[in-house]
Amino acid sequence: MRRARLLIAALAGVLSLAAASDPAERLKDPAQEAQARQIFRDVRCLVCQNESIDDSEAELAHDLRQIVREQIRAGKSSAQIKAFLTERYGEFVLLTPSFSAGNLALWAGPFLVVILGGALLFARLRNRTPDPDLTPLEAQRLRTLSEDETR
Amino acid sequence: MIVEAGAFALILALALSIAQVVLSAAGRIRRSAPLAGAGEGAALAAFAAVAMAFAALMHAFVVSDFSVANVAANSHTAKPLLYRVAGTWGSHEGSMLLWCLALTGFGAAAVGLGGSLPRGLRALTVATQGVLGTVFLAYTVLASNPLVRVLTPPVEGRSLNPLLQDPALAIHPPFLYAGYVGMSVVFSLAVAALIEGRIDAAWSRWVRPWALAAWSLLTVGITLGAFWAYYELGWGGWWFWDPVENASFMPWLVATALLHSAVVTEKRGALAGWTVFLALSAFTFSMLGAFLVRSGVLTSVHAFAVDPKRGVLLLIILGVTSGLAFTLFAWRAPSLGQGGLFAPISRESALVLNNILLAAATATVLLGTLYPLIREAMSGESISVGPPYFNLTFTPLMAALAVLLPAGPLLAWKRGDARGVAQRLWAAVLVAVALALLVVAITSPHKAFAAAGVGLGGWLVVGALVELLERTRAFRAPAAETWHRLTGLPRGAWGMTFAHLGLGVFIMGAVFETSWKVEAAETLPRGGGLDIGAYHVTLDDVRPVAGPNYDADRGTISVTRAGKPVCQVAPERRLYTVGGETTSEVGLCYRGASHIYIVLGERRDSGAQPAWLVRAYWNPWASLIFLGPVIMALGGLISLSDRRLRLGVGRRREPAA
């Protein structure tokens, strides 16, 4: 009885265990299998709570893995397979957001912060250093003068 | 009876928090010491009251009082004591009570340790902390009360998610919440200083210990969570860039930036506005995290205590408290002085760069977390932002930070000497390059980028040590002098060395593990084996065992290397009988800093012969991933014990009033 219950629970398997490495699903050719795993990590398990199909044990993830592996066996490239999946499920299926106009803020945002911060720092430094139009000699004299005054 | 007393204490705490606000504010306005003192008394009493309510709830969990709705929904008599205790904060209501406990606790600590603060600033800090306590206690009492009874108590409870029944996760929330909520004192100090209109070196020195304490606790909390994910979820991942993880990471990044900018404000009087901005942001991100985790607006693999309706309330709390604080900031910031001058090559510039990169990293995490929501709201299209996005944005920003880091502490304030720094760091450069080359040589496949990443970690470790040697004039002065200098180093300097060294250790571990982990999975009968790297894993036996509230299959698995025994592990596959969930207990075999990680999977008989799916991972240098942050947190604690930070030091700055 207990064993039967255990077995049922095992089949129901709510927990994902890097499902993609399952020997029952694997492709024979290691290079193709590696390519498949690479794709899995970038494909979302659509019904799961934020998991890739590489990790998920859900039924749908299993089906998606099968589709990807079949297409790889048929010799399709990773880009072709991703295009196929996007066609079918929308951009939501890919974990890498596309470099499109709609995602401009997403991709540019962090680097904009760096540029903005850099500009502010530059402005601050510029305000405080002697005017670059002065000759080095003038700048030197200005520094000595102001230093004398503070003493 | 105890439960009723707890419920009463909770309402009392709300009343006391309101009194805390009114009395402290009145104490400041009328400059009345008795009123301000009464406000402080109310803060202490509010903490005592929340502690009573918390104790009452914990008692209900320990004795399995299922007449309390929250206990019935989240506990079970068969659960071990530790997890019944941990069940106290395992639900939405209970975790908000823990939040309130931390909030009033930090309020009481601010009263107890804030004796050196000027009276006005102290009264306003206590008042602000009281406002935060009031809103969160009001939310807990009115919308999320964990001490509500049910009319017909069930005979048995519905138990806690078995994934959460784990020692690391039992203590993970208290650390995390203490870290989150520790930022509230920083927030209150910032609001108080903005109202007082005085932000100076003394203020920075008061903020630092609170920021340090909260940062250290948050570091420990996040690390515990990552370690739990690593060994409990069963596929050896420790960070998924999941919204819930990001929610805890953003306050950490902001607090890290704050710790660095506060140094500039303290030592040079510069960046005051920016430091205050960060002080307000840190707790804002904490509240954002509380909202994101509980509202269910984002799908997360760690979905926890989700309730959209109450999520809106949390969003309102966030909007109002932070909104007011930032309005105050916008009004007062222009009056803050610019502070001391500094040259492009200087300690100040280095710390500003640190802050720019950390701010950009925070922006990355924030955008990556919220962009799917924004995009959906604006155009109705749904997109996913997963780990590849963060690898392309967050990682280069952090790499840039790590490249610059060792130079920072070696630069002088005001005007640094770039050539001198380069001369002192050439040894570290050599070590880092040698480490990267060594990694390329010993690993297969060869990965240049990843090897450079490991070298970068080494650069930080050696860079931190070089800085220590410089400070103690090691090898240049007599040994006695070096020893004298070493023992005389301020704790703050040790703290910095540890924190930077810990970051280097973490980077080495994270890069190595991610780049060279090996995975193998086979269906094995008894006596069957598989190869993982240089090791051979044999499934000796599988036997059923009975736990307190689960049944399990326990495997006996031995690991050998070239025929010699290495270790034995006993991974389990557990079935929790109450909820019917399956979890796995992985078998971890430690080999130096590396792990052999073994999972017993489902049973898959081939014909009449019983067989099990066994997965094994070789996770090289994985221990460093968790050791690094522990060293960093230790650095925070060491720095916290610095006598310069003891709160009495600022006293001499107090105006004679």
Side-chain angles (χ1 to χ4, degrees), chain A residues 2-3 5-7 9-11 13-24 26 37 41-42 44 48-51 55 57 91-97 99-107 109-111 113-114 117-118 121 124-125 128-129 143, chain B residues 163 233-235 242-243 270 299-301 338-344 349 352 356 359-360 363-364 367-368 371 375 382-386 388-389 392-393 397 519 521-523 544 546 551 553 573 575 577 581-584 599 602-604 613 615 617:
Chain A
R2 175 172 286 175
R3 171 126 333 149
R5 269 214 320 237
L6 261 177
L7 199 67
L11 290 174
V14 292
L15 190 75
S16 50
L17 301 169
S21 64
D22 195 322
R26 272 201 298 253
R37 296 297 295 274
R41 278 191 270 274
D42 193 24
R44 187 182 192 130
C48 311
Q49 306 270 23
N50 197 20
E51 279 177 301
D55 295 332
E57 250 186 15
E91 209 189 318
F92 187 62
V93 77
L94 293 185
L95 285 170
T96 316
F99 292 98
S100 60
N103 292 340
L104 184 69
L106 175 67
W107 285 107
F111 301 100
V113 172
V114 175
L121 174 62
R124 168 83 200 256
L125 290 169
R128 297 305 176 129
T129 44
R143 259 199 302 273
Chain B
L163 278 179
L233 294 182
W235 70 89
D242 182 88
T299 52
S300 155
V301 68
Q338 270 218 315
L341 326 180
F342 56 89
S349 280
V352 170
I356 291 171
T364 305
L367 274 170
Y371 204 76
R375 184 83 195 273
S382 41
I383 60 157
S384 300
V385 180
Y389 167 77
L392 285 171
T393 52
L397 287 170
E519 181 189 8
E522 293 299 341
T523 307
D551 294 322
D553 273 344
R573 186 170 175 81
L575 170 68
T577 39
E581 301 100 333
T582 318
T583 70
S584 71
V599 186
E602 66 199 59
R603 185 169 167 168
R604 280 190 189 164
L613 184 60
R615 295 172 203 278
Y617 299 82

Side-chain angles (χ1 to χ4, degrees), chain B residues 257-326:
Chain B
L258 171 64
L259 285 174
H260 290 91
S261 81
V263 176
V264 182
T265 311
E266 184 187 330
K267 300 270 199 261
R268 303 278 302 131
L271 303 186
W274 174 245
T275 304
V276 175
F277 181 81
L278 289 175
L280 296 177
S281 303
F283 189 61
T284 301
F285 276 110
S286 294
M287 289 193 283
L288 180 69
F291 161 70
L292 288 178
V293 174
R294 287 180 183 72
S295 64
V297 293
L298 299 161
T299 52
S300 155
V301 68
H302 307 289
F304 162 80
V306 162
D307 183 345
K309 254 187 261 162
R310 286 187 290 194
V312 173
L313 284 176
L314 285 172
L315 189 62
I316 293 171
I317 291 178
L318 163 68
V320 171
T321 49
S322 291
L324 285 174
F326 281 109

Side-chain angles (χ1 to χ4, degrees), chain A residues 10-135:
Chain A
L11 290 174
V14 292
L15 190 75
S16 50
L17 301 169
S21 64
D22 195 322
E25 292 183 15
R26 272 201 298 253
L27 289 169
K28 293 240 159 46
D29 178 354
Q32 284 189 340
E33 177 65 16
Q35 185 195 350
R37 296 297 295 274
Q38 195 75 44
I39 297 175
F40 293 164
R41 278 191 270 274
D42 193 24
V43 176
R44 187 182 192 130
C45 164
L46 300 155
V47 297
C48 311
Q49 306 270 23
N50 197 20
E51 279 177 301
S52 74
I53 61 169
D54 196 58
D55 295 332
S56 177
E57 250 186 15
E59 194 97 351
L60 178 89
H62 173 84
D63 295 347
L64 284 172
R65 284 197 296 268
Q66 208 154 14
I67 292 172
V68 171
R69 282 192 168 111
E70 264 163 29
Q71 298 209 345
I72 286 179
R73 211 177 298 143
K76 290 211 180 144
S77 73
S78 299
Q80 281 172 318
I81 296 171
K82 283 182 189 171
F84 168 83
L85 288 171
T86 318
E87 182 95 354
R88 200 160 158 185
Y89 299 103
E91 209 189 318
F92 187 62
V93 77
L94 293 185
L95 285 170
T96 316
S98 63
F99 292 98
S100 60
N103 292 340
L104 184 69
L106 175 67
W107 285 107
F111 301 100
L112 218 61
V113 172
V114 175
I115 293 167
L116 191 75
L120 282 172
L121 174 62
F122 184 72
R124 168 83 200 256
L125 290 169
R126 222 182 123 86
N127 276 346
R128 297 305 176 129
T129 44
D131 197 320
D133 288 339
L134 297 178
T135 64

Side-chain angles (χ1 to χ4, degrees), chain B residues 166-411:
Chain B
D166 177 270
L169 210 64
I171 53 166
H172 157 73
F175 274 104
L176 199 63
Y177 280 42
Y180 272 164
V181 178
M183 305 296 173
S184 67
V185 183
V186 175
F187 181 92
S188 297
L189 273 167
V191 170
L194 282 171
I195 296 173
E196 291 279 321
R198 224 193 56 186
I199 289 168
D200 51 17
W203 177 82
S204 295
R205 198 172 300 158
W206 291 317
V207 163
R208 249 171 85 72
W210 297 104
L212 263 174
W215 178 88
S216 303
L217 290 163
L218 198 54
T219 308
V220 173
I222 295 172
T223 311
L224 280 172
F227 190 52
W228 166 80
Y230 175 72
Y231 72 77
E232 186 67 30
L233 294 182
W235 70 89
W238 43 272
W239 193 262
F240 307 96
W241 292 110
D242 182 88
V244 168
E245 295 166 353
N246 295 349
S248 69
F249 194 38
M250 286 186 279
W252 188 89
L253 287 169
V254 174
T256 310
L258 171 64
L259 285 174
H260 290 91
S261 81
V263 176
V264 182
T265 311
E266 184 187 330
K267 300 270 199 261
R268 303 278 302 131
L271 303 186
W274 174 245
T275 304
V276 175
F277 181 81
L278 289 175
L280 296 177
S281 303
F283 189 61
T284 301
F285 276 110
S286 294
M287 289 193 283
L288 180 69
F291 161 70
L292 288 178
V293 174
R294 287 180 183 72
S295 64
V297 293
L298 299 161
T299 52
S300 155
V301 68
H302 307 289
F304 162 80
V306 162
D307 183 345
K309 254 187 261 162
R310 286 187 290 194
V312 173
L313 284 176
L314 285 172
L315 189 62
I316 293 171
I317 291 178
L318 163 68
V320 171
T321 49
S322 291
L324 285 174
F326 281 109
T327 309
L328 182 66
F329 173 76
W331 177 39
R332 291 288 201 175
S335 66
L336 298 174
Q338 270 218 315
L341 326 180
F342 56 89
I345 306 275
S346 63
R347 178 88 64 91
E348 288 95 323
S349 280
L351 286 166
V352 170
L353 270 181
N354 151 303
N355 267 246
I356 291 171
L357 290 168
L358 282 171
T362 313
T364 305
V365 182
L366 184 66
L367 274 170
T369 310
L370 294 183
Y371 204 76
L373 279 181
I374 300 169
R375 184 83 195 273
E376 187 154 17
M378 278 171 46
S379 64
E381 296 162 84
S382 41
I383 60 157
S384 300
V385 180
Y389 167 77
F390 296 98
N391 291 341
L392 285 171
T393 52
F394 183 84
T395 310
L397 287 170
M398 281 298 109
L401 186 63
V403 167
L404 296 171
L405 197 156
L410 291 172
L411 281 166

